[in-house]
Amino acid sequence: MHINESAENYLETILILSKSHPVVRSVDVAEELGFKKSSVSVAMKNLREKEYITVSKEGFIRLTTAGREIADIIYERHELLSSWLVKLGVDKKTAADDACRIEHVISAESFEAIKKYIK
């Protein structure tokens, strides 16, 4: 399961939006990330081709099982790392920004060790 950081961010964003929106569309993703709709459309095409998402004829985006697995991993890393950094005294914005960078490069082994240590 090797996927680039950009794709991981899109999948995580779709997951987050699906928790608060009845349906997720490309325009929602573009708005959330502050990207142009055209850029998001290209990314959605790539994710669809890799079978990480499905897009209905109405334009509703859904994560496939493979896409959901990746999104869940990235989201768990983000939540745990950002909350841990806040507990260590880092302000929320910096913690969230740093967690967003770390979540994509940390190995599964290191993340599991941190998770075990924290809990």
Side-chain angles (χ1 to χ4, degrees):
M1 174 186 71
H2 184 64
I3 179 171
N4 67 33
E5 181 177 335
S6 174
E8 288 177 347
N9 277 332
Y10 279 111
L11 294 173
E12 181 185 22
T13 300
I14 293 165
L15 175 66
I16 292 166
L17 289 171
S18 70
K19 293 174 185 278
S20 61
H21 291 60
V23 294
V24 178
R25 301 162 299 143
S26 289
V27 67
D28 301 318
V29 176
E31 189 175 290
E32 180 70 19
L33 295 173
F35 294 166
K36 292 179 184 177
K37 287 185 245 178
S38 58
S39 299
V40 173
S41 292
V42 170
M44 294 304 107
K45 179 179 181 276
N46 291 334
L47 292 174
R48 194 173 61 248
E49 288 173 354
K50 293 178 181 170
E51 299 183 351
Y52 292 127
I53 64 168
T54 60
V55 181
S56 71
K57 60 184 172 190
E58 297 86 6
F60 303 153
I61 301 168
R62 289 187 176 78
L63 295 168
T64 63
T65 301
R68 177 69 188 236
E69 287 174 8
I70 294 166
D72 283 340
I73 289 167
I74 299 302
Y75 184 70
E76 178 191 23
R77 288 177 178 185
H78 183 88
E79 290 296 297
L80 186 123
L81 292 168
S82 61
S83 67
W84 184 45
L85 290 169
V86 168
K87 286 178 187 172
L88 292 174
V90 178
D91 74 87
K92 281 186 177 188
K93 169 99 173 79
T94 302
D97 290 347
D98 288 347
C100 194
R101 286 189 291 279
I102 296 167
E103 70 195 26
H104 301 288
V105 296
I106 192 168
S107 70
E109 180 182 2
S110 293
F111 179 73
E112 288 304 316
I114 291 170
K115 189 162 90 170
K116 184 178 175 184
Y117 177 79
I118 292 171
K119 295 184 184 219

